[in-house]
Amino acid sequence: MPLSSDSLSQLTHNQRQRLSYLEFCLYFLGEVRRADMMARFDCAPAVVTRDIALYRQLAAANLELDPSTKAYLLAPGFQPLFEHRLEQVMAALMQGESYSIETVGGALVSCDYPALLNRPPLPILAAVSRAIRQRRLLKVRYHSASSGEQERVIAPHALVDSGLRWHVRAYDQLRQRFIDLVLTRMLAAEVQDKAPEPQQHAEHDQQWQRSITLQLVPHPNLPDPTIATLDYAMQGGMLSLDVRAANAGYLLRRWYVDCSADARLQDPACRLWLNNAAVLSDVESAVFAPGVELQPASPLHS
């Protein structure tokens, strides 16, 4: 007799961990293989066989076996059984951390951290991550500042956490160029059964492939520059960072770095100055850098 979703509460802790990981792979990567489960949990093939059989009892419509690859694929009728927390999903996708829906223990010391204001819907994030993983085109309904709501087809190749919001780096077929699209502005997303053209691949994204060095120093207006050198672990009074050109502006915005040539920003909260502002020449994301005096050739966002 098929199990009901109420049976989830009757599973052991280890079963919940394994089945939630199985579902995570389906939802966010598009497929799961027996080898994935065995490697993640260091368990025997028989254990994985039982887990897959149990998951199919719980949610038969969620996965289907591909006979040619022996992988279990996300089925069109997929509906998640588990509640996947955004913070853990993003940590697994972007940092390679072992995925788990359950937190083991609590904080070891009293602590607090900023609230996460920008929260992409999980179905949108899942479609984007599957398209990246499977190298497929993605059809989205997107609300942009310049064009309002419209449908477009993109070739996504990377997720980016700017520190303030998440976006996807992608080739936009509408604009015929690589741009950033903010996940929370996607109203719908559907993975297409078609691969991007070669010129739409990440290796042709010049802003993504290009690396620049940012030379950050204490802001000249600081009464005690030693504080900044200590806070940012500067060597010889400078912090040198190698970053992708596509992401440089976001980093400079997040840390409120004065990017004007003459360090003219007077805000006391601005504690860093970009000592080599000329490096932002032809950097599209420089439009987001505080005090920037260089204008990119075209807008970064649609």
Side-chain angles (χ1 to χ4, degrees):
M1 179 178 178
L3 298 174
S4 67
S5 58
D6 293 339
S7 301
L8 291 178
S9 61
Q10 301 174 15
L11 299 177
T12 67
H13 171 79
N14 288 339
Q15 284 177 317
R16 287 195 301 271
Q17 294 284 51
R18 293 196 301 268
L19 294 190
S20 65
Y21 176 76
L22 183 155
E23 185 173 272
F24 163 79
C25 292
L26 284 173
Y27 198 7
F28 297 96
L29 306 180
E31 67 176 31
V32 63
R33 300 170 186 267
R34 292 174 187 271
D36 299 330
M37 300 283 292
M38 292 168 59
R40 167 66 177 83
F41 296 100
D42 191 23
C43 56
V47 174
V48 175
T49 298
R50 289 195 296 270
D51 286 338
I52 294 175
L54 178 57
Y55 188 85
R56 296 184 75 173
Q57 284 185 284
L58 289 165
N62 278 4
L63 72 170
E64 53 192 19
L65 178 64
D66 182 346
S68 62
T69 64
K70 304 301 182 182
Y72 287 90
L73 308 180
L74 181 83
F78 179 87
Q79 292 293 331
L81 285 179
F82 295 90
E83 181 180 352
H84 300 273
R85 295 202 301 120
L86 177 63
E87 291 83 354
Q88 290 179 322
V89 169
M90 295 302 290
L93 291 176
M94 302 188 73
Q95 300 175 29
E97 296 185 8
S98 298
Y99 182 74
S100 170
I101 62 169
E102 298 179 349
T103 301
V104 179
L108 300 180
V109 296
S110 178
C111 58
D112 194 12
Y113 48 87
L116 182 62
L117 300 183
N118 184 266
R119 302 185 65 87
L122 281 181
I124 298 295
L125 173 60
V128 171
S129 64
R130 290 199 306 271
I132 294 173
R133 175 81 171 197
Q134 299 172 343
R135 297 187 178 183
R136 292 291 183 266
L137 294 176
L138 185 71
K139 182 168 68 175
V140 299
R141 189 154 49 89
Y142 189 78
H143 192 103
S144 71
S146 59
S147 307
E149 183 180 329
Q150 62 182 174
E151 188 174 276
R152 60 181 68 187
V153 176
I154 63 173
H157 68 74
L159 284 169
V160 177
D161 177 8
S162 74
L164 299 175
R165 62 190 182 191
W166 282 303
H167 64 258
V168 60
R169 187 71 181 172
Y171 182 88
D172 179 22
Q173 292 190 347
L174 181 66
R175 295 205 168 200
Q176 298 186 343
R177 60 189 299 269
F178 290 97
I179 62 172
D180 299 335
L181 293 100
V182 182
L183 295 188
T184 50
R185 298 178 191 173
M186 293 183 181
L187 308 178
E190 181 182 352
V191 181
Q192 305 296 288
D193 190 21
K194 184 178 180 181
E197 298 293 330
Q199 68 273 16
Q200 301 173 3
H201 294 174
E203 54 264 33
H204 296 286
D205 186 349
Q206 295 181 2
Q207 291 285 308
W208 183 261
Q209 299 298 338
R210 179 184 170 195
S211 178
I212 63 174
T213 300
L214 304 176
Q215 297 177 354
L216 308 182
V217 299
H219 199 282
N221 292 334
L222 287 180
D224 184 1
T226 302
I227 297 298
T229 64
L230 293 172
D231 285 350
Y232 300 101
M234 294 181 178
Q235 300 294 323
M238 178 182 295
L239 176 63
S240 294
L241 295 176
D242 294 327
V243 300
R244 296 183 188 274
N247 297 332
Y250 299 111
L251 182 147
L252 294 166
R253 168 63 64 182
R254 180 183 183 184
W255 293 106
Y256 198 13
V257 179
D258 186 350
C259 299
S260 63
D262 55 357
R264 68 172 181 270
L265 296 187
Q266 299 298 314
D267 191 337
C270 189
R271 306 173 63 234
L272 295 170
W273 177 49
L274 180 62
N275 189 48
N276 59 334
V279 76
L280 296 181
S281 176
D282 297 326
V283 171
E284 293 180 358
S285 65
V287 67
F288 296 108
V292 71
E293 299 161 358
L294 303 172
Q295 294 300 320
S298 54
L300 182 64
H301 285 108
S302 59

